[in-house]
Amino acid sequence: EDLAVAVPNRAQLYTSFQDSPEVMVRLVQLAGSAPHLFQKVVRHQEWLETLFTQNEEEEERVSLLTELRERLAGVRKWESKIESLARFHQREVVRTALHEIVGEADTPRTLSSLTELAEAVLAVLIEICAEEQITHHKEPEFARRVLERVAVIGMGKLGGAELGYSSDWDVVFVYENSR
């Protein structure tokens, strides 16, 4: 009901359910198993098509890192990049949960998917922040040399590729601090 009320064209939604009853079944499963994630789908209806693509093969799917970089390629403002990064992360968490809920992913695969997502988000976040620091540093070339050599080391569940939905991301940043 929440989705039907939120959708501008209910007739189109009902037609899509008629054309693809499995989408409706998946939505009901998501709503019943993870209502908070279902509410994210209600708020971000633009996710529906990508969340419910059937028979998605991992080999065919563009890597998360590539997809994220492509998504941010045209974004200029730092704040907009961070917002886009956050939305991407939320959508992928919902996608991962949906695959687990409908039985397409077991627990080890889910933990691995969440870890891969965190790694992609961290990699792009480092790129975004480095670009911002280089742009505003009084010595841009020095900042570029230092930031190009930053290592991000995942600790705990991130380092062990065992991230859960509520896991925090323990990271250590290592860099050389010499001129």
Side-chain angles (χ1 to χ4, degrees), residues 22-61:
E22 67 277 357
V23 169
M24 185 175 67
V25 169
R26 288 169 152 234
L27 275 171
V28 169
Q29 288 175 307
L30 181 63
S33 299
H36 64 290
L37 295 178
F38 177 74
Q39 287 304 316
K40 288 181 188 234
V41 173
V42 169
R43 285 191 304 275
H44 297 281
Q45 296 161 28
E46 69 274 12
W47 295 353
L48 283 171
E49 186 176 332
T50 58
L51 286 175
F52 296 103
T53 303
Q54 295 293 317
N55 300 323
E56 179 180 51
E57 295 294 326
E58 288 299 320
E59 294 78 34
E60 293 177 11
R61 185 156 184 245

Side-chain angles (χ1 to χ4, degrees), residues 12-175:
Q12 186 178 5
L13 177 69
Y14 297 144
T15 300
S16 69
F17 287 164
Q18 200 169 21
D19 293 343
S20 302
E22 67 277 357
V23 169
M24 185 175 67
V25 169
R26 288 169 152 234
L27 275 171
V28 169
Q29 288 175 307
L30 181 63
S33 299
H36 64 290
L37 295 178
F38 177 74
Q39 287 304 316
K40 288 181 188 234
V41 173
V42 169
R43 285 191 304 275
H44 297 281
Q45 296 161 28
E46 69 274 12
W47 295 353
L48 283 171
E49 186 176 332
T50 58
L51 286 175
F52 296 103
T53 303
Q54 295 293 317
N55 300 323
E56 179 180 51
E57 295 294 326
E58 288 299 320
E59 294 78 34
E60 293 177 11
R61 185 156 184 245
V62 175
S63 79
L64 289 172
L65 188 56
T66 301
E67 183 180 349
L68 192 46
R69 284 179 174 145
E70 288 173 358
R71 199 173 272 272
L72 296 175
V75 181
R76 297 287 167 238
K77 291 179 65 179
W78 185 83
E79 293 83 3
S80 299
K81 288 181 181 185
I82 298 300
E83 289 171 12
S84 185
L85 183 65
R87 278 193 308 277
F88 179 85
H89 177 263
Q90 289 175 354
R91 186 198 73 195
E92 288 302 315
V93 167
V94 172
R95 179 198 307 268
T96 301
L98 181 63
H99 286 294
E100 183 179 28
I101 289 166
V102 300
E104 293 174 355
D106 59 8
T107 301
R109 179 67 201 137
T110 298
L111 300 177
S112 177
S113 293
L114 292 169
T115 302
E116 291 168 14
L117 174 59
E119 289 171 348
V121 167
L122 282 169
V124 172
L125 186 58
I126 289 293
E127 292 169 7
I128 292 169
C129 291
E131 178 183 314
E132 184 75 6
Q133 289 300 312
I134 291 166
T135 301
H136 292 96
H137 197 276
K138 64 182 180 180
E139 297 179 47
E141 282 310 309
F142 169 73
R144 182 180 317 283
R145 282 193 312 274
V146 170
L147 292 169
E148 285 176 350
R149 296 176 44 90
V150 170
V152 181
I153 301 171
M155 308 296 286
K157 293 192 181 289
L158 176 60
E162 298 173 338
L163 279 183
Y165 295 105
S166 61
S167 295
D168 55 4
W169 300 355
D170 297 324
V171 294
V172 175
F173 297 92
V174 181
Y175 61 95

